[in-house]
Amino acid sequence: MCAAPDIPLAPRVGQPSTLIDCDIHNAITPSALARHLPERWRAYHGQFGRRMTPGDFYPKATPMASRTDSWPPGGGPPGSDLAFMRKQLLDAWPIEIGVLNTLITIRNQYRDYDAAIAVAANSCQIAEWLEPEPRLRASLLVPFEDSELAVAEIRRHSADTRFVQVLIPSRTSEPLGRRKYWPIYAAAADCGLPIGIHFGGWSGGHPISGAGWPTYYLEYHTGMNQTFQAHLISLICEGVFEEFPKLKIVFIEGGIAWIPPVLWRLDRSWRQLKAENPKLSKAPSEYFREHFWLTTQPVEEPPEPGQFLQMLSHLDMDDHLLFSTDYPHWDFDSPDGALPSVMGTELRRKVLRDNARRLYRFP
Amino acid sequence: MAKHVVSTVAEIPPGARKVVEVAGRSIGVFNVGGEFFALRNRCPHQGAALCTGQLGSAVTSTGPGHYQVDRTGEILRCPWHGWEFDVRTGQSWFDPKKVRVRSFETAVAPGSTLIPPSPGLVPGPYVAETFPVSIKEDYVLVEI
Amino acid sequence: MDMEIPTHPVIDCDVHAVLPAIDALLPYLPAYWREQIAQTGFKGPMDSWYPPGMPTSARAEARPSDGSPPASRVGVIQRDVLGAPPHPSFAILSSDCAVESLHNPDAAAAIAGALNEWLVSEWLSVDARLRASIVVPSQFPELAVQEIERRALNPGFVQVLLPVRSETPYGSRNFRPVFAAAARHGLPVALHYGGAPGNPPTPVGWPSFYLEEYAGMTGVFQTQLVSIISGGVFDEHPDLRLVLAEGGFAWLPAMLWRFDKNWKGLRREIPWVRKPPSEYVREHVRLTTAPSDAPEDPAQFADVISQLGSDELLLYASDYPHGHGDLAAERGWAALPASTLRKVTSDNPRRLYRL
């Protein structure tokens, strides 16, 4: 495999001098995880590991769903080598801060084991990513289907400001507005941490769509927004933001163009169906615009540039958009190649840097 | 336009490729069945190093469940989003008319034709200042 | 859609013929099922995606004062739909009995068949302005094909009806015979809001509130559309048309942007799909206008209409008796050019249903 070219791309007009990447996937290998597992779990993990029974295997477009040029020359899977991540990402563009979202799957089987994996993964992140690389921040992995254990892990790291959010994958066993998850929201809000919901996870017991199991990976990927849609509707309708007015949610890798039509539909139907749902004191779209942030990758690519601006105008959340690359996945967005040129300088600066700085309270 | 020596023929056997820098551009040079093709090493989508991607086949179909595989090794997939390009022409698969990557003319020449016959004569239409040439080898040229 | 009496024939593409109770099907059921229903106390599939108490399930003026279910008598449709503005020349009926919730294939087939007979006998035969949708036991493709074959020659049936919710997306390989049968007879296939297949309507389980289920149904429409295109249904059947009924349409442009983008890089997985997915949609797919889920601002509504990329996609529907409170849509429609309104209310439906 040939090396990436050394010739830098010409910077786009209007790019800010630095940028913040809100979605990077560091890969924690089994051996890295083992280094941080206590002996009781290291033996268990080595001998039994996590059972593979979800029955939802869609061969991804590329090995490990990653850019085919992102395999570290020294070995290991994409995203596992910090030095190579620096070369391909952190140093290749003027990235001031990168937020890690580790995608080790919490399997919702043996809860204590789930918790042990999350604890070890977080320790690994500190030792092998955050300590050596001051530009990085991380998301807290928690056993989210067990709120007691999840809250314990949140509290354990609440003083470490390098953990900037609590991570929950979007494929959960219930819609995220449900009460079983509320203790997690209470703890997160209390600690000033947003909840980052990232596409993916284990099946949680359900097919990946509301009409059963699709056939192709293309369907799987195109339907990514549907888990987010279900959670958007659930979090709002269950009154989570009445209960936790300080709670913030980040949708990571969910896309953004699908949102305005959902808000139009939800507002209209809420007006019709208010009596069934007494928890809300204002229109659903108001809760959404106040409490939700959205990462930009995979960037929307309408056929006409003007439609991108229409979409942003319909969304009306310029201050809540967060640039992300999703490195090293194949649907990666390049910091200077993804956002369309119709975006003006001021909006570009907000999306590439200032909104993230404000949300995550970076200095 | 000038022809640039980029490689010996031996360095790029059939099925192989080499990424070179020529006249300020990164170019991928491919050997497909003994013929040479050169493409800009920059995907028109988001600027990925296109020429480092997987080489595969042209996959067509007459209907669901049918997969026809032809022209193995001639379709280049961008390492990022998987856009497919015909190595021979640089045209994208999904919109050959409107989306393509720049392709360049190539040629093969023996070393003897590239070394100036004697000092004082106008050198031939080639540029070889960064590439040592020997009369014993054949060379791949890319025209830019 | 609030309109003057138009000068062109209007077609209402989604009007409900509601089965009042299982007893209404008794005259049309074989003896075995009549006895089963009587002796087991089977009241028919109980699932309903229009809970009677929900305001959206029926607008106030559509609720009969005698307490009978809304839209359950042809006379009511004649009065409230055919006899009221915009005075459609035709109304396309859709009906259901949650047959997909019956896991016994014979029960599902019997009930679907009886429902279609009921439609012929008590609706189509009564008023020549009515057309109907063939109800099939959708979870059993072979039996669904048989029911299509049974009804296809009756010109009163103008499409095959499937609930948008299913156990497996309709583009899946094992569902091909149903599309083939519809295509063979030149019948569009309509996917309609609702359904009760047994699996949840979201990828993360069951919503708590009806509001969630209702608002979230657009996700199921998207899944089905992506599935049907990916499965090569339109490549196999170039003349087939798909109708998305009562699912809204404002969500479509964003979905097509995503689908086209993905197809460019992932198309090798489905090599029979030879064009960008959005091109299939513009040629093969139609969507009814109630509800529209339009934004409040008419200018934004015009953006959405423009983003659809074709004025041939939409089909006017009242969706009687449902009440979506789609007030913003009224303003939005009023702001569109007359030529667009004519396409939506007349030309597009007439061409689709050959009326």
Side-chain angles (χ1 to χ4, degrees):
Chain A
M1 198 65 69
C2 308
D6 295 325
I7 305 159
L9 296 172
R12 261 183 205 271
V13 173
Q15 290 281 92
S17 55
T18 61
L19 61 104
I20 297 175
D21 183 353
C22 293
D23 186 27
I24 302 173
H25 297 296
N26 54 326
I28 295 183
T29 59
S31 51
L33 190 70
R35 284 197 280 278
H36 297 271
L37 279 168
E39 179 51 37
R40 181 256 187 279
W41 290 112
R42 193 179 314 141
Y44 185 96
H45 186 60
Q47 184 174 359
F48 304 117
R50 291 169 296 165
R51 300 198 316 279
M52 298 292 291
T53 54
D56 66 350
F57 195 68
Y58 292 91
K60 306 292 187 288
T62 56
M64 307 217 44
S66 295
R67 289 170 29 175
T68 57
D69 65 353
S70 67
W71 289 78
S80 62
D81 182 324
L82 177 57
F84 195 59
M85 183 186 286
R86 285 185 181 117
K87 177 171 197 280
Q88 280 208 318
L89 180 70
L90 301 176
D91 298 338
W93 286 280
I95 293 179
E96 185 190 324
I97 297 176
V99 178
L100 300 173
N101 291 303
T102 298
L103 293 180
I104 285 195
T105 310
I106 305 293
R107 288 237 170 239
N108 193 27
Q109 289 168 335
Y110 178 8
R111 297 294 168 82
D112 294 338
Y113 176 42
D114 283 344
I117 301 250
V119 168
N122 294 331
S123 298
C124 179
Q125 292 200 86
I126 293 172
E128 303 187 20
W129 297 87
L130 299 177
E131 289 288 323
E133 179 48 76
R135 288 173 290 184
L136 291 177
R137 304 290 182 277
S139 306
L140 267 175
L141 265 70
V142 297
F144 50 90
E145 301 286 6
D146 186 315
S147 56
E148 204 180 303
L149 295 175
V151 167
E153 185 60 6
I154 293 171
R155 296 273 175 214
R156 205 160 77 84
H157 293 286
S158 60
D160 188 341
T161 57
R162 295 171 302 180
F163 282 107
V164 300
Q165 64 197 354
V166 177
L167 189 65
I168 300 181
S170 68
R171 297 180 64 194
T172 53
S173 62
E174 293 187 47
L176 281 173
R178 290 264 238 266
R179 278 185 183 274
K180 71 174 265 194
Y181 300 108
W182 284 23
I184 298 176
Y185 305 145
D190 197 40
C191 297
L193 291 170
I195 303 284
I197 301 175
H198 190 287
F199 179 66
W202 185 56
S203 74
H206 308 293
I208 188 125
S209 88
W213 294 103
T215 310
Y216 303 106
Y217 176 62
L218 174 55
E219 296 175 71
Y220 169 112
H221 199 276
T222 304
M224 274 162 70
N225 62 309
Q226 289 177 35
T227 50
F228 290 93
Q229 174 172 301
H231 294 315
L232 179 167
I233 294 172
S234 172
L235 284 161
I236 291 174
C237 290
E238 294 267 19
V240 166
F241 304 106
E242 289 289 331
E243 188 72 27
F244 306 109
K246 296 212 195 83
L247 186 66
K248 298 181 160 90
I249 308 285
V250 188
F251 274 175
I252 309 171
E253 205 175 328
I256 63 181
W258 58 273
I259 290 176
V262 170
L263 298 181
W264 297 329
R265 183 177 175 94
L266 195 49
D267 276 1
R268 170 186 62 75
S269 49
W270 167 72
R271 279 193 284 273
Q272 287 286 89
L273 298 169
K274 254 190 225 187
E276 190 227 4
N277 191 332
K279 293 186 181 233
L280 307 186
S281 64
K282 53 193 182 194
S285 60
E286 286 190 53
Y287 290 104
F288 188 79
R289 292 196 168 96
E290 190 184 326
H291 292 272
F292 285 73
W293 275 255
L294 310 164
T295 65
T296 52
Q297 179 273 344
V299 73
E300 308 291 350
E301 294 184 13
E304 288 158 39
Q307 292 170 336
F308 191 91
L309 295 178
Q310 282 175 356
M311 183 262 300
L312 289 183
S313 151
H314 296 176
L315 182 62
D316 194 21
M317 290 174 75
D318 284 359
D319 294 343
H320 284 227
L321 299 177
L322 309 169
F323 176 76
S324 57
T325 62
D326 190 40
Y327 179 90
H329 290 156
W330 68 266
D331 45 350
F332 166 88
D333 267 353
S334 156
D336 50 18
L339 298 182
S341 50
V342 288
M343 283 178 74
T345 305
E346 195 196 323
L347 178 59
R348 197 177 282 276
R349 195 184 59 243
K350 282 191 192 183
V351 172
L352 283 162
R353 190 180 63 193
D354 297 353
N355 292 344
R357 170 167 278 122
R358 208 172 52 250
L359 169 69
Y360 293 121
R361 294 178 298 187
F362 297 144
Chain B
M1 298 274 269
K3 294 194 176 107
H4 299 253
V5 177
V6 298
S7 177
T8 64
V9 166
E11 254 184 286
I12 316 180
R17 69 184 103 172
K18 184 180 177 190
V19 174
V20 297
E21 188 184 325
V22 187
R25 297 169 182 75
S26 184
I27 308 276
V29 183
F30 299 83
N31 181 334
V32 177
E35 294 177 78
F36 290 95
F37 301 95
L39 301 176
R40 184 89 191 271
N41 185 24
R42 185 182 190 290
C43 183
H45 184 207
Q46 288 194 21
L50 175 61
C51 297
T52 66
Q54 294 170 333
L55 278 171
S57 310
V59 179
T60 55
S61 170
T62 56
H66 174 248
Y67 306 90
Q68 179 71 28
V69 172
D70 297 298
R71 298 182 58 201
T72 299
E74 300 190 12
I75 305 299
L76 180 63
R77 299 193 71 198
C78 178
W80 293 2
H81 308 96
W83 287 17
E84 297 162 285
F85 294 86
D86 186 336
V87 170
R88 290 177 177 270
T89 63
Q91 288 171 300
S92 70
W93 184 269
F94 69 82
D95 191 352
K97 288 202 194 101
K98 295 209 206 102
V99 180
R100 59 183 306 136
V101 63
R102 180 90 193 273
S103 64
F104 303 92
E105 293 289 325
T106 64
V108 170
S112 56
T113 64
L114 299 175
I115 293 173
S118 55
L121 286 179
V122 176
Y126 62 87
V127 178
E129 67 261 11
T130 57
F131 206 97
V133 169
S134 138
I135 56 168
K136 296 195 190 117
E137 294 264 14
D138 290 342
Y139 293 89
V140 182
L141 286 73
V142 174
E143 187 164 355
I144 296 184
Chain C
M1 201 179 303
D2 191 24
M3 296 184 311
E4 310 276 320
I5 307 256
T7 54
H8 49 267
V10 170
I11 299 174
D12 188 341
C13 296
D14 185 27
V15 176
H16 287 267
V18 175
L19 187 70
I22 196 76
D23 296 357
L25 295 187
L26 290 175
Y28 309 101
L29 281 165
Y32 169 78
W33 291 107
R34 286 203 298 274
E35 191 169 303
Q36 277 293 88
I37 285 172
Q39 296 201 339
T40 65
F42 176 53
K43 301 223 177 345
M46 298 296 289
D47 287 55
S48 169
W49 38 95
Y50 301 115
M54 295 293 166
T56 44
S57 299
R59 49 196 92 158
E61 60 274 19
R63 292 180 190 266
S65 48
D66 64 1
S68 59
S72 56
R73 291 198 294 263
V74 67
V76 165
I77 301 304
Q78 289 172 313
R79 183 192 71 212
D80 288 354
V81 178
L82 298 167
H87 297 281
S89 308
F90 297 98
I92 317 284
L93 301 172
S94 77
S95 197
D96 67 76
C97 194
V99 291
E100 66 283 356
S101 68
L102 295 171
H103 298 278
N104 176 335
D106 306 318
I111 301 259
L115 185 56
N116 292 328
E117 291 282 347
W118 176 74
L119 285 168
V120 170
S121 193
E122 301 188 27
W123 296 79
L124 296 177
S125 310
V126 174
D127 196 315
R129 294 169 292 178
L130 297 176
R131 298 291 183 275
S133 314
I134 304 172
V135 176
V136 298
S138 52
Q139 71 284 41
F140 303 104
E142 279 178 29
L143 298 177
V145 168
Q146 287 175 25
E147 187 62 21
I148 293 170
E149 295 294 342
R150 227 172 264 133
R151 307 295 166 190
L153 293 181
N154 182 335
F157 285 108
V158 295
Q159 65 189 2
V160 176
L161 187 68
L162 302 170
V164 75
R165 288 177 60 192
S166 60
E167 201 177 37
T168 304
Y170 290 124
S172 304
R173 206 63 68 81
N174 60 353
F175 206 75
R176 280 162 95 187
V178 178
F179 289 111
R184 208 159 41 239
H185 294 288
L187 291 167
V189 174
L191 304 189
H192 197 284
Y193 176 102
N199 46 301
T202 82
V204 293
W206 298 95
S208 301
F209 294 99
Y210 183 68
L211 170 58
E212 295 178 62
E213 176 184 319
Y214 177 100
M217 194 66 68
T218 52
V220 187
F221 277 93
Q222 293 168 33
T223 289
Q224 299 289 15
L225 183 54
V226 172
S227 168
I228 287 167
I229 293 173
S230 300
V233 171
F234 299 131
D235 301 278
E236 280 199 293
H237 306 291
D239 295 330
L240 183 66
R241 298 289 177 269
L242 183 73
V243 179
L244 303 183
E246 206 181 310
F249 61 83
W251 51 265
L252 183 64
M255 194 207 86
L256 293 181
W257 300 346
R258 177 67 49 192
F259 198 5
D260 278 1
K261 171 176 171 148
N262 283 354
W263 170 80
K264 287 176 187 169
L266 299 178
R267 62 115 226 143
R268 278 195 339 172
E269 203 190 9
I270 48 165
W272 43 86
V273 176
R274 277 163 282 220
K275 308 184 283 204
S278 58
E279 287 188 32
Y280 289 96
V281 169
R282 288 190 185 103
E283 192 181 333
H284 294 269
V285 181
R286 304 290 176 255
L287 303 95
T288 64
T289 56
S292 64
D293 297 324
E296 295 273 330
D297 178 349
Q300 292 188 342
F301 183 69
D303 287 345
V304 171
I305 298 290
S306 145
Q307 287 171 8
L308 290 173
S310 164
D311 60 3
E312 297 184 353
L313 288 184
L314 299 180
L315 306 169
Y316 165 70
S318 68
D319 193 30
Y320 184 93
H322 302 144
H324 300 288
D326 214 357
L327 301 172
E330 302 286 339
R331 285 195 292 282
W333 289 118
L336 291 181
S339 56
T340 303
L341 288 181
R342 190 204 155 106
K343 284 239 167 169
V344 173
T345 57
S346 188
D347 300 343
N348 297 343
R350 282 194 304 149
R351 196 143 111 235
L352 175 70
Y353 294 115
R354 291 178 295 200
L355 294 169

